[in-house]
Amino acid sequence: MLLVTAIALTALSGCSDDSGGGKQAAGKEAQVATLSSPTAKASAAPKPQRPRERLDTTPEDFEAMLGPYNKCLEEHGGIVRGKGPANGAPRPATKKETAKHDKANRICEPLHYPLPPWEKDPANPEARDFGRAVVKCLKEKGVKYVEVAEDGMSPALGGDQNDPRSISMGLELAPECEREVAAAMK
């Protein structure tokens, strides 16, 4: 114990630069550590963030969120507006049009396509727990064939039998279960 105390005192005295009797050594200025970071230029604009869906996002809300994404696709030639010969009906995209769309999508999706609700986002470390809790809720509400899908986050409805009752009940009850689980996890 005495040896440990002696080593600790020696180490502590070695950390001190008090050679001037409590005064700073000549030519040395005291430096204080701070937590501040270098100031960014005031003119630097913040990077725009992608919109994020919420559990209660309506189809209309989602369409509105797609506005900047669709505008970006159009600016990069990724929206095909061609009509087929028969009465102006839509036609399948050509390989060239598909390639243009894919190229535009690689630019636009990471900038503007809405992110999934945080509860379902693979970047959320609690998303798998959320998915399991939603499946449990669906089972408690009477959905017979439901399990966690291969992605580990979504409910897989219908089972091997592709049970129509489980599918329809699950689709109907999923939003309610998602809201309940989200409220319980807060």
Side-chain angles (χ1 to χ4, degrees):
M1 178 74 171
L2 186 57
L3 180 62
V4 173
T5 306
I7 291 172
L9 287 174
T10 304
L12 285 174
S13 65
C15 292
S16 168
D17 184 27
D18 198 13
S19 58
K23 298 179 183 174
Q24 291 287 328
K28 284 190 178 180
E29 193 172 309
Q31 301 228 347
V32 177
T34 65
L35 295 177
S36 65
S37 61
T39 16
K41 292 182 181 177
S43 64
K47 182 180 174 185
Q49 286 193 312
R50 289 167 65 181
R52 181 173 297 278
E53 284 183 82
R54 297 174 7 155
L55 291 175
D56 61 353
T57 298
T58 65
E60 294 80 20
D61 293 338
F62 187 75
E63 279 299 316
M65 285 183 201
L66 287 177
Y69 171 72
N70 289 332
K71 181 180 179 190
C72 179
L73 284 179
E74 195 165 340
E75 289 171 354
H76 291 89
I79 292 185
V80 179
R81 298 197 190 277
K83 299 286 183 185
N87 302 326
R91 61 169 170 75
T94 65
K95 287 183 181 181
K96 184 178 178 183
E97 291 168 338
T98 301
K100 281 179 74 174
H101 174 77
D102 291 346
K103 182 179 178 184
N105 189 57
R106 282 192 296 275
I107 295 167
C108 300
E109 183 178 355
L111 297 173
H112 302 291
Y113 196 81
L115 295 166
W118 180 242
E119 294 85 357
K120 297 179 177 183
D121 193 329
N124 178 357
E126 296 176 356
R128 290 180 183 271
D129 295 335
F130 179 80
R132 284 189 295 270
V134 169
V135 167
K136 181 180 177 188
C137 174
L138 290 169
K139 286 181 179 181
E140 289 171 354
K141 291 188 182 290
V143 179
K144 187 173 182 179
Y145 297 104
V146 61
E147 59 187 42
V148 178
E150 289 181 17
D151 68 3
M153 296 178 286
S154 309
L157 300 166
D160 293 336
Q161 300 79 13
N162 214 17
D163 180 56
R165 184 169 187 270
S166 291
I167 294 170
S168 63
M169 280 183 69
L171 290 173
E172 181 183 324
L173 295 170
E176 181 182 334
C177 281
E178 288 172 351
R179 286 190 301 274
E180 288 178 17
V181 170
M185 290 180 89
K186 287 187 178 188

